[in-house]
Amino acid sequence: MNPLADLKVDLNSRKLENLYRVRRTLHSSQGVEVNCNGDSLLSFCSNDYLGLASDPRLIKASQKGVSKYGVGSGAAHLISGHSLPHHFLEKELADFLEVERVLLFSTGYMANVGILSSLMSRNDVILQDKLNHASLIDGGLQSSAKLKRYDHLNTKLLEEMLQKSQHKSLIASDGVFSMDGEKAPMKELTDLAQKYDSALLIDDAHGFGVLGEMGKGSVSDSGLPMKKVPIYIATLGKALGTMGAFVAGSEEVIETLIQKARSYIYTTAMPPSLAETTRMSLKIMSSEQWRRDNLYELTIRFREGAKAIGLNLSDSETPIQPLILGDSEKALQWSNKLYDEGILINAIRPPTVPNGSARLRITISAIHKPKHIDFLLAELQKLLET
Ligand SMILES: *Cc1c(COP(=O)(O)O)cnc(C)c1O
């Protein structure tokens, strides 16, 4: 029997359930004003929080990097793909965060899968927030450890699990939840890790560059030293505007990953020019505080405006501002109607978010203008009234 024979039926049922996904093609560079399939739109759905993805200084750094190092890395890091830009970027990230060492991964997804599958063994337990990013969940599934999930943000339940556990455990949480924008209870998580002698992993894909002193992320934002989080992960494709990811940790953690993480060992290194570009991005991200200040002010403007028109937003203080609409059909309708008015926001539907919580995941960027926020609010108000 051929498994491909069922695909058509499956695809059709996705369409009927409003779960079918289509890609929209950008004809322009990433930014707040984009051209999508030929239409000029105002975008509120990228993770380019600081507006760096198309920054002229990064473009220049990339061009210089390509001239010097070529376009491809040619091999995995352990063969001949590791070059000076990777080395410097790792060093600069480690100095910036004041951690022992940093290791680059080609993507955040690969970092999470590589970390959990190489650091955790049979008989260990991974305790995860239920709304953790798919890559943490998949990393847990690929490891031989036992996977347990606690209700979202429920540190009481997490403590009960830790109390009962007879095994070595690791707590894993998003630093900022990718589809909800809430911050993880960092203080409670670090306290619990200490109290129960558990390891702690924070995936700060949406916090690094956005929160904390100089954009140092969620740990700094909570007033904690980095050493409270022995495994800190952040991605470079969001606030930093490039691509890739890194893990920050002790000498032993990093060396173990180099020896054992299969998604590190068996894959081509990111292009050196991209590492060069990210070095420039790190400089700009950390020194241009106005970007984070803008982001914060625009987020407040959006939240206050939303409240004034009676929009029911969730409790997020970050630039991720989900508008939960419930069913997938409604989320799609709203997304399509906004598109017709010149606003790009995708409908996020199950299984990316739990059933019954389809939403518009609105994200704000430092390079939005107050008038952009006001325009979005006016269009949302029209939708509320129909
Ligand atoms: C985006 C994201 C990742 C994946 O990072 P990529 O570099 O895009 O693969 C991992 N964790 C979280 C929380 C994310 O939001």
Side-chain angles (χ1 to χ4, degrees):
M1 291 234 280
N2 186 338
L4 305 185
D6 303 331
L7 297 184
K8 207 170 184 169
V9 175
D10 177 61
L11 286 170
N12 274 331
S13 71
R14 279 174 189 259
K15 277 184 191 157
L16 289 173
E17 292 170 60
N18 292 299
L19 296 177
Y20 198 78
R21 298 170 185 222
V22 291
R23 299 171 302 170
R24 284 170 166 151
T25 308
L26 285 199
H27 296 204
S28 63
S29 59
Q30 189 56 257
V32 298
E33 287 169 299
V34 295
N35 186 299
C36 182
N37 295 331
D39 301 315
S40 294
L41 299 170
L42 192 55
S43 168
F44 282 97
C45 58
S46 110
N47 299 315
D48 181 21
Y49 301 117
L50 298 180
L52 291 175
S54 306
D55 187 283
R57 293 163 293 178
L58 294 198
I59 293 171
K60 209 166 205 169
S62 168
Q63 287 164 338
K64 271 174 77 179
V66 167
S67 302
K68 190 155 177 201
Y69 296 100
V71 291
S73 68
H77 281 279
L78 289 171
I79 306 299
S80 64
H82 190 67
S83 55
L84 265 184
H86 301 118
H87 171 77
F88 287 134
L89 177 58
E90 286 180 348
K91 181 87 183 59
E92 286 157 9
L93 283 165
D95 290 346
F96 176 62
L97 288 172
E98 298 173 78
V99 294
E100 253 175 61
R101 269 186 85 179
V102 155
L103 183 71
L104 293 175
F105 273 81
S106 293
T107 72
Y109 188 98
M110 292 161 79
N112 283 336
V113 168
I115 290 162
L116 290 180
S117 56
S118 61
L119 297 183
M120 301 302 288
S121 331
R122 202 176 298 279
N123 296 328
D124 295 348
V125 181
I126 304 173
L127 300 156
Q128 304 224 29
D129 188 292
K130 271 196 179 151
L131 294 189
N132 274 354
H133 191 260
S135 56
L136 280 174
I137 305 298
D138 293 359
L141 292 170
Q142 282 197 33
S143 82
S144 46
K146 195 165 173 201
L147 198 58
K148 287 192 179 168
R149 298 168 79 176
Y150 56 90
D151 289 346
H152 183 45
L153 303 177
N154 193 335
T155 45
K156 228 171 140 182
L157 204 61
L158 171 62
E159 178 154 22
E160 283 168 23
M161 288 178 174
L162 286 162
Q163 267 166 351
K164 281 189 209 139
S165 174
Q166 312 285 329
H167 303 282
K168 291 184 202 150
S169 58
L170 174 138
I171 304 166
S173 175
D174 283 16
V176 171
F177 287 86
S178 56
M179 295 299 135
D180 295 82
E182 301 143 318
K183 297 176 184 178
M186 205 64 68
K187 179 84 175 71
E188 286 96 322
L189 292 178
T190 53
D191 285 349
L192 284 176
Q194 194 159 344
K195 184 169 172 195
Y196 294 94
D197 191 25
S198 172
L200 175 63
L201 177 160
I202 296 295
D203 174 351
D204 210 17
H206 301 277
F208 187 66
V210 170
L211 299 174
E213 182 209 356
M214 295 170 83
K216 286 182 184 176
S218 298
V219 188
S220 155
D221 182 53
S222 316
L224 296 164
M226 285 300 289
K227 65 171 189 296
K228 291 269 185 189
V229 177
I231 307 169
Y232 177 83
I233 298 154
T235 62
L236 304 169
K238 287 163 183 159
L240 269 81
T242 60
M243 193 185 167
F246 69 88
V247 187
S250 67
E251 182 69 26
E252 292 78 26
V253 165
I254 300 301
E255 271 308 318
T256 304
L257 294 175
I258 295 174
Q259 308 306 318
K260 289 171 68 177
R262 293 167 69 86
S263 61
Y264 182 76
I265 300 169
Y266 299 109
T267 198
T268 301
M270 71 163 71
S273 60
L274 194 64
E276 249 337 69
T277 312
T278 307
R279 293 178 68 198
M280 175 61 78
S281 180
L282 177 62
K283 258 188 217 156
I284 298 173
M285 175 283 265
S286 53
S287 60
E288 296 188 349
Q289 180 59 33
W290 66 263
R291 292 179 187 271
R292 276 177 292 281
D293 294 344
N294 268 11
L295 201 46
Y296 182 73
E297 275 160 29
L298 291 167
T299 301
I300 299 224
R301 188 183 187 94
F302 175 70
R303 287 189 67 80
E304 284 176 352
K307 202 170 159 197
I309 61 172
L311 265 186
N312 212 351
L313 293 178
S314 56
D315 252 354
S316 157
E317 303 165 43
T318 67
I320 303 169
Q321 293 290 328
L323 177 59
I324 297 178
L325 295 169
D327 68 61
S328 297
E329 188 181 3
K330 185 169 179 193
L332 264 186
Q333 269 173 1
W334 279 48
S335 170
N336 290 337
K337 284 183 180 162
L338 287 169
Y339 188 103
D340 293 340
E341 301 303 328
I343 293 174
L344 181 63
I345 307 176
N346 271 307
I348 308 283
R349 292 158 285 163
T352 306
V353 292
N355 280 330
S357 74
R359 67 197 66 188
L360 298 179
R361 176 180 180 268
I362 298 165
T363 52
I364 295 166
S365 168
I367 57 172
H368 276 123
K369 301 265 183 298
K371 66 170 190 219
H372 294 152
I373 303 288
D374 299 345
F375 177 59
L376 170 63
L377 286 165
E379 291 305 323
L380 287 172
Q381 183 168 23
K382 280 193 216 160
L383 284 174
L384 266 184
E385 286 161 3
T386 55

